[in-house]
């Protein structure tokens, strides 16, 4: 596996791969890799001739009071995992190179980035869209891989990709979960053993809502309110629990085909997000 910290180095290797007829897959991550990330990497490896994994804890997408400083960083374990998985290139850009002191440009994806996470984390999706646009331009992948766990991120990137004509295919992979259904997340490392046990009640409430839809519930407002109450009853602070259209991220009145229930909770100092598809499209 090649490791590249500089853009010139990255471009040289990606250029060579493309010249030899290989398609390029990109998996953007913030590291502290787990099976959720690996599922994206395996998919990229299956579909592309040359798989680039980026690890960059993007300061632009963290608010001033958020966890940028304590976000888990495990560069050596990550590199060993990626080598084992057969990733072709690990791209580790430096923040100072990505964002020189007079960096002045931002990508703003209006509408779809404003509710949900965007309402609670102002500027978050501007940071995400800006870094993903840079990575798309730096790597020029044929396909880019994202996880459905970050539902609104997928919506924002899908819209940006269309609006700005990025010539690539977006691939969205299913959420990988622990046996108790907690979605894998680098932030799960923050949980104490007691919090980790309690955290299983988060996906449980989301899947209970999905079961109610299977049993005929179609009132999206009631489902959102009841889910919020269930999460609060389980001891979480709830940022939101909304039934949304995953393309637009607009709240829905009725549970229509393709509707998702997206939620964010806080447990001690840890903030977790998750979502479930309520009704197959
Ligand atoms: P992150 O390192 O948290 O920025 O995540 C990098 C990519 O992995 C994003 O596209 C995430 O949506 C995806 N991802 C994170 N957790 C999971 C998971 N449990 N299942 C599937 N994909 C995931």
């Amino acid at each position: 596996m090649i490791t590249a910290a500089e853009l010139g180095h990255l471009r040289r290797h990606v250029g060579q791969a493309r010249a030899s007829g290989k398609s390029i897959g990109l998996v953007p991550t913030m590291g502290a890799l787990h099976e959720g990330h690996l599922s994206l990497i395996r998919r990229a490896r299956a579909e592309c001739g040359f798989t680039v994994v980026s690890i960059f804890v993007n300061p632009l997408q963290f608010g001033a009071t958020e966890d940028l400083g304590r976000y888990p960083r495990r560069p050596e374990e990550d590199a060993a995992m990626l080598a084992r998985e057969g990733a072709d290139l690990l791209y580790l850009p430096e923040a100072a190179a990505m964002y020189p002191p007079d960096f002045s440009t931002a990508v703003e994806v209006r509408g779809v980035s404003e509710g949900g996470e965007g309402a609670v984390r102002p500027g978050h999706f501007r940071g995400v869209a800006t870094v993903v646009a840079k990575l798309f331009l730096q790597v020029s992948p044929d396909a880019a891989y994202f996880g459905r766990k970050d539902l609104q991120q997928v919506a924002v990137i899908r819209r940006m990709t269309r609006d700005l004509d990025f010539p690539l295919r977006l691939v969205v992979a299913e959420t990988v979960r622990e046996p108790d259904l907690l979605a894998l997340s680098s932030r799960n490392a923050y949980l104490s053993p007691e919090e980790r046990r309690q955290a299983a009640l988060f996906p449980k409430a989301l899947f209970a809502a999905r079961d109610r839809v299977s049993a005929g519930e179609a009132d999206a407002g009631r489902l959102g309110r009841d889910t919020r109450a269930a999460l609060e009853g389980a001891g979480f602070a709830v940022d939101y629990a909304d039934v949304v259209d995953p393309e637009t991220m607009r709240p829905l009145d009725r549970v229509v085909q393709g509707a998702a229930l997206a939620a964010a909770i806080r447990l001690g100092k840890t903030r977790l997000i998750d979502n479930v598809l309520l009704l197959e499209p």
Side-chain angles (χ1 to χ4, degrees):
M1 183 179 72
I2 303 154
T3 300
E6 274 153 28
L7 181 54
H9 194 191
L10 167 82
R11 285 211 163 117
R12 204 158 51 246
H13 285 285
V14 171
Q16 278 167 9
R18 185 168 288 110
S20 69
K22 291 177 176 165
S23 62
I24 312 296
L26 169 66
V27 184
T29 82
M30 298 204 298
L33 301 177
H34 52 63
E35 283 291 325
H37 298 114
L38 299 189
S39 74
L40 302 181
I41 291 158
R42 288 175 194 143
R43 181 96 181 254
R45 287 244 305 138
E47 296 177 359
C48 304
F50 191 84
T51 297
V52 177
V53 179
S54 62
I55 297 183
F56 181 58
V57 183
N58 174 33
L60 277 195
Q61 72 189 68
F62 287 78
T65 61
E66 294 181 1
D67 58 343
L68 174 63
R70 70 172 186 136
Y71 196 82
R73 288 165 173 87
R74 297 201 286 264
E76 273 118 51
E77 289 102 308
D78 287 351
M81 250 164 137
L82 290 174
R84 270 200 306 277
E85 286 298 323
D88 296 289
L89 191 147
L90 166 57
Y91 178 42
L92 290 167
E94 297 281 346
M98 289 292 263
Y99 305 122
D102 58 351
F103 186 82
S104 316
T105 305
V107 178
E108 178 95 43
V109 185
R110 289 190 297 270
V112 62
S113 70
E114 286 162 18
E117 286 298 286
V120 184
R121 306 183 67 188
H124 170 67
F125 287 118
R126 188 183 313 122
V128 169
T130 302
V131 80
V132 172
K134 280 178 70 84
L135 291 169
F136 282 1
L137 291 165
Q138 292 178 340
V139 178
S140 297
D142 298 282
Y145 295 80
F146 294 90
R148 194 179 302 282
K149 201 205 85 159
D150 297 279
L151 190 72
Q152 191 169 9
Q153 172 168 284
V154 167
V156 168
I157 291 166
R158 192 182 292 296
R159 186 69 62 84
M160 177 189 81
T161 300
R162 187 205 67 183
D163 286 356
L164 298 183
D165 306 307
F166 282 106
L168 54 86
R169 186 165 61 87
L170 285 186
V171 179
V172 180
E174 279 315 315
T175 302
V176 177
R177 298 178 180 281
E178 300 278 8
D180 67 1
L181 298 183
L182 181 67
L184 297 190
S185 164
S186 306
R187 288 190 169 97
N188 293 352
Y190 300 153
L191 299 170
S192 70
E194 175 51 32
E195 287 172 336
R196 173 63 190 81
R197 276 191 291 279
Q198 194 186 345
L201 299 173
F202 180 27
K204 199 163 165 235
L206 302 184
F207 281 96
R210 194 183 67 173
D211 290 344
R212 278 179 62 191
V213 170
S214 305
E217 177 64 88
D219 184 328
R222 183 161 58 207
L223 213 52
R225 283 192 302 277
D226 290 356
T227 303
R228 171 182 280 271
L231 290 168
E232 285 170 351
F236 303 123
V238 181
D239 281 341
Y240 60 85
D242 297 327
V243 177
V244 297
D245 172 342
E247 285 290 315
T248 62
M249 294 309 289
R250 282 206 201 97
L252 293 168
D253 295 329
R254 306 292 296 166
V255 180
V256 294
Q257 286 185 348
L261 173 60
I265 56 116
R266 278 168 290 124
L267 173 54
K269 287 189 171 154
T270 307
R271 190 168 178 281
L272 300 176
I273 65 170
D274 199 354
N275 69 87
V276 294
L277 180 63
L278 291 173
L279 205 53
E280 293 289 336

